[in-house]
Amino acid sequence: MNFEPIDLLPQKAPMAFITAIEDVDFDNQKMITRIDIKDADLMFQKNINGVPSCVALEYMAQSIACYIGAQDIHVTGETKAVAGFIMGSRDLHFMIPKFNMGESYYVHVQSLFCDNNVASFDCKVYDSNNNVVASGNLNAFRPDDINNFMEYGNE
């Protein structure tokens, strides 16, 4: 089954950064997404001719959202591009100062734990030479009803 990032992400342009879904493996609970760095990107900075490496956190988060959205379709047949929240990260490392314009990067996300609303993922970003350029574990939360959560979540 082919998945399009725009169908899986709650973000829309210009905040949707995932270019393509390269691979998904539901049996092993993992996905690979691709990010193509362009000078038209929202996070692109002309003075460094690229995107700052700290944006890898958002690349990882959006890749997780793609995996969860694809899994929803795989299990229920329905698309539920619902907003979620990164609740924290561990061992977050950026090995490069920037993502270079004109290059592609590959985000590998592996589910470590996934309950109905809470998930933890091991994430790695690779360059086109298969070098790890960013990594970390992200914890995410997705409420059943985002509108209700945003209005009453703190009560």
Side-chain angles (χ1 to χ4, degrees):
M1 177 178 262
N2 290 330
F3 297 101
E4 293 297 325
I6 202 69
D7 297 331
L8 304 174
L9 290 169
Q11 295 93 336
K12 302 301 176 214
M15 280 301 297
F17 300 135
I18 307 296
T19 304
I21 308 296
E22 293 290 308
D23 187 45
V24 62
D25 180 348
F26 294 114
D27 291 334
N28 292 305
Q29 300 179 314
K30 59 186 178 178
M31 176 179 273
I32 301 171
T33 62
R34 187 181 82 236
I35 314 288
D36 296 335
I37 306 300
K38 300 176 287 307
D39 58 2
D41 291 346
L42 180 66
M43 298 297 179
F44 185 84
Q45 294 182 3
K46 288 182 183 183
N47 63 321
I48 63 170
N49 197 35
V51 174
S53 63
C54 62
V55 178
L57 179 65
E58 182 64 19
Y59 294 162
M60 293 174 191
Q62 287 191 20
S63 296
I64 289 169
C66 284
Y67 175 78
I68 291 172
Q71 185 181 42
D72 286 344
I73 293 170
H74 177 70
V75 172
T76 67
E78 297 179 17
T79 302
K80 293 190 277 184
V82 177
F85 303 94
I86 295 300
M87 301 303 288
S89 63
R90 291 183 321 277
D91 296 322
L92 194 58
H93 300 281
F94 307 118
M95 290 77 153
I96 57 174
K98 66 176 181 163
F99 295 100
N100 294 312
M101 205 276 286
E103 293 189 22
S104 295
Y105 297 87
Y106 301 87
V107 184
H108 294 230
V109 294
Q110 167 82 54
S111 176
L112 301 173
F113 170 81
C114 194
D115 197 355
N116 287 337
N117 301 93
V118 178
S120 182
F121 283 81
D122 178 59
C123 305
K124 290 183 177 58
V125 182
Y126 292 84
D127 65 15
S128 57
N129 294 319
N130 210 31
N131 298 309
V132 176
V133 297
S135 65
N137 290 337
L138 273 58
N139 300 320
F141 170 72
R142 179 174 74 165
D144 290 326
D145 183 337
I146 187 70
N147 294 324
N148 188 49
F149 178 79
M150 294 303 287
E151 188 169 343
Y152 303 107
N154 294 329
E155 294 183 0

